[in-house]
Amino acid sequence: MLAPLADYVRALRGWRRVLLTIALGAVAALALPPFHIIPVLLVAFSGLIWILEGHDVEPRPLRGALLTGFWFGFGHFFLGLHWIVEPMLVDPARTAWMIPFSWPGLAAGLAIFPALACGVQAIGRFGNNTAARVLVFAGLWTVSELLRGFVLTGFPWNLIGYVWAGNGPGLPMLQASAVVGVLGLGTITILASAMPAVLGAAGPGSSWLSTLVLVITLLIPALLWSGGLYRLQNTEDSYVPDVRLRIVQANIAQKDKWNPELRTQHLEKYIRLTNTESPEKPTHVIWPETAVPFLLANDALIRGQVARAIPPEGALITGSVRSAFHDGGRQLFNSLLVIDWAANITQVYDKSHLVPFGEYVPLRGVLPVEKIVPGQGDFTAGPARRLIDVTGLPAFSPLICYEAIFPGQVTPDDVRPAWLLNLTNDAWFGNFAGPWQHLAIATSRTVEEGLPMVRAANTGISAVVDAHGRVQGWMGVGVEGVLDTALPRPIPATPFARWGNLIPLILALGLVVLGLVLLRRRDTA
């Protein structure tokens, strides 16, 4: 059916092939938030499969496949992570010079993972057995995404499964991540997106078997979507009694946040918003990451001012920079503090997964750069994840900023929380794609874990999301105000909550084995 087009793509060489590959990668990024143009994946991944098939007749197919995977990944991440320039424009005199290096450099670094997926599949020598190639490719892509979440501390941003994230028409499909995780959902998405390439198979590869695989592959997403819709329609909203949360979003621009002349004004704004009159009084108040430019843990006077806005017998949960002696010297921590109505600090959590080049510089003394976050010295990572207990609240797992983007790593290993609390400052990400991507990524953890999430962001997007990924309330980008909300209840632990990333890994390796079996069967037929 598509054989002439497929033959044309396979025959491309040189710069034409490179440009098409980059373009296909960029097109695939349009399926991700905030665009959600999901059908473009059919074009992007079917086209990529045809290009990979074109390497089979070349003298060095492995080298060609590696380069194709790299250029596809470069286009994909260059467009999908275009917001990476925003942090360097907050203080352009100091950091704008990094843009020509950081933007393409990050895209090139992340492109190594698609390159590995494409390169390893080339070893199979699939010839015109397109169905087998797609099965193996989908599994290898997932393995590469899994590796991306761990190598060099990990950066699993914009995994393909996130095309279904958000409170939109993709939410029923996202329900499958309760079993297979977002990584496994990405496996199914790649499989369905790349399998139409069999319609361009040449010769024996266009047999009834390939057509059958195509039909089955397209049916799988339809069945998952239907099952997810049924799951959503057969659940009832349930909330923790006697809990009323107030999320404060002060909308302070990042360029003004640490201005010493404005810091008292920032504090007063948070206190004023916290004291907003409402028919139903809050029991607990939540401020975002590093909410005010004071070291609250080290400044009892400022804590006393803050405490006047805390509900009686309640608490304030806030992000704050904290200074403390650690390993023989004074260190800085990006922390979550719980402050009671008497100005006492009752709980502290120090961010344990720091942002490279944002909060610390890897190989400091070798690399001639400074971290993007202003201030002297690097932040210090805290210990492993743990639960936080606050009087009047169920125990929660704290997630500061991008700690929420790691599938299977948002709760302690030995105990299950009742909810997730994500404090973040997305003012660094600008006003377009960055905040929406971060929201979609973070709130996907709710479906995976079966846990609700409360999210407080300095400039947005603050939100309350239930254990099925449904947004119960939110404040958009650039909005100043408060969000008063009940706390949704958790649901029983999902399969993914119990087994984590082992499930998508087994699914991915199973597809690789199935593809190799199909290849062997066709070769011996």
Side-chain angles (χ1 to χ4, degrees):
M1 184 183 300
L2 297 177
L5 177 60
D7 289 341
Y8 173 79
V9 172
R10 293 186 192 105
L12 287 176
R13 297 292 184 272
W15 63 268
R16 291 181 177 84
R17 181 162 64 188
V18 171
L19 288 181
L20 177 61
T21 305
I22 294 173
L24 290 175
V27 164
L30 296 177
L32 291 158
F35 308 105
H36 285 298
I37 311 174
I38 299 175
V40 300
L41 294 178
L42 298 170
V43 176
F45 284 102
S46 293
L48 177 60
I49 292 297
W50 290 338
I51 293 174
L52 292 173
E53 287 181 333
H55 291 298
D56 283 352
V57 298
E58 297 175 351
R60 292 184 290 179
L62 176 59
R63 176 180 179 274
L66 284 168
L67 288 174
T68 287
F70 175 84
W71 289 121
F72 183 92
F74 182 83
H76 183 67
F77 294 115
F78 191 80
L79 179 60
L81 296 173
H82 66 273
W83 53 264
I84 197 66
V85 305
E86 296 283 356
M88 281 153 279
L89 294 176
V90 171
D91 185 3
R94 187 173 67 91
T95 55
W97 66 271
M98 299 181 184
I99 293 175
F101 306 98
S102 60
W103 186 8
L106 178 62
L110 295 177
I112 294 173
F113 296 95
L116 290 174
C118 293
V120 174
Q121 67 80 39
I123 300 174
R125 291 284 189 166
F126 294 92
N128 58 15
N129 194 334
T130 306
R133 184 190 299 272
V134 170
L135 290 168
V136 172
F137 172 79
L140 292 175
W141 183 281
T142 301
V143 173
S144 76
E145 287 195 330
L146 185 59
L147 289 173
R148 182 153 64 89
F150 290 93
V151 174
L152 299 178
T153 79
F155 189 58
W157 196 281
N158 281 358
L159 305 174
I160 288 297
Y162 290 130
V163 303
W164 307 105
N167 203 36
L171 186 58
M173 190 72 173
L174 188 65
Q175 302 306 303
S177 64
V179 178
V180 298
V182 166
L183 283 161
L185 184 56
T187 309
I188 298 166
T189 304
I190 293 286
L191 191 63
S193 301
M195 193 58 77
V198 303
L199 299 177
S206 57
S207 68
W208 66 270
L209 183 58
S210 294
T211 304
L212 178 62
V213 171
L214 172 62
V215 172
I216 294 175
T217 302
L218 294 180
L219 278 176
I220 291 175
L223 291 173
L224 290 178
W225 189 89
S226 299
L229 185 62
Y230 177 83
R231 184 179 194 240
L232 291 172
Q233 291 177 342
N234 288 272
T235 58
E236 296 182 0
D237 294 335
S238 179
Y239 299 94
V240 178
D242 302 322
V243 171
R244 191 70 179 171
L245 304 178
R246 169 164 288 177
I247 304 170
V248 179
Q249 183 171 299
N251 191 36
I252 297 172
Q254 189 60 41
K255 65 181 179 62
D256 298 327
K257 185 175 179 64
W258 296 100
N259 185 335
E261 297 178 359
L262 298 176
R263 65 179 192 159
T264 300
Q265 177 181 315
H266 297 336
L267 176 63
E268 292 173 349
K269 175 183 274 194
Y270 270 99
I271 294 174
R272 173 176 56 83
L273 289 170
T274 300
N275 286 326
T276 301
E277 290 294 330
S278 64
E280 195 169 354
K281 297 296 184 181
T283 59
H284 300 80
V285 178
I286 301 173
W287 292 359
E289 178 187 16
T290 59
V292 294
F294 293 93
L295 304 183
L296 291 178
N298 308 88
D299 196 327
L301 180 63
I302 296 297
R303 265 200 330 275
Q305 296 182 43
V306 168
R308 291 198 294 269
I310 298 174
E313 307 302 327
L316 167 68
I317 306 171
T318 181
S320 178
V321 175
R322 186 175 72 90
S323 176
F325 281 100
H326 180 76
D327 290 341
R330 184 164 288 278
Q331 305 288 339
L332 290 177
F333 299 86
N334 186 354
S335 303
L336 175 149
L337 307 178
V338 179
I339 304 174
D340 68 14
W341 61 280
N344 299 311
I345 296 176
T346 61
Q347 292 279 357
V348 176
Y349 167 74
D350 297 320
K351 185 177 181 181
S352 59
H353 201 147
L354 300 177
V355 181
F357 301 103
E359 295 170 313
Y360 75 101
V361 177
L363 302 176
R364 178 174 288 279
V366 177
L367 297 177
V369 297
E370 280 297 324
K371 62 185 176 69
I372 296 173
V373 176
Q376 296 296 321
D378 294 339
F379 283 99
T380 299
R385 193 157 313 291
R386 66 183 184 87
L387 293 193
I388 297 291
D389 283 302
V390 179
T391 301
L393 287 177
F396 65 86
S397 179
L399 304 165
I400 299 179
C401 192
Y402 98 142
E403 287 185 317
I405 74 172
F406 296 89
Q409 301 179 55
V410 296
T411 64
D413 294 332
D414 56 345
V415 62
R416 178 172 167 81
W419 56 295
L420 305 171
L421 176 59
N422 182 208
L423 306 185
T424 188
N425 178 21
D426 288 0
W428 287 105
F429 299 160
N431 297 321
F432 181 49
W436 288 102
Q437 289 178 4
H438 201 194
L439 175 73
I441 292 168
T443 57
S444 296
R445 305 287 84 79
T446 63
V447 184
E448 286 181 333
E449 301 288 341
L451 297 172
M453 174 180 285
V454 175
R455 190 171 193 265
N458 175 23
T459 57
I461 303 165
S462 299
V464 178
V465 185
D466 72 9
H468 294 90
R470 294 174 294 197
V471 176
Q472 304 294 305
W474 67 292
M475 286 185 287
V477 179
V479 175
E480 175 187 318
V482 299
L483 176 62
D484 291 338
T485 177
L487 176 62
R489 288 183 183 272
I491 62 175
T494 63
F496 183 84
R498 294 189 181 97
W499 299 98
N501 289 318
L502 181 62
I503 296 177
L505 179 60
I506 291 174
L507 175 62
L509 296 179
L511 285 182
V512 172
V513 171
L514 181 60
L516 294 177
V517 169
L518 180 60
L519 176 64
R520 179 175 176 82
R521 177 179 176 182
R522 293 287 299 279
D523 288 344
T524 57

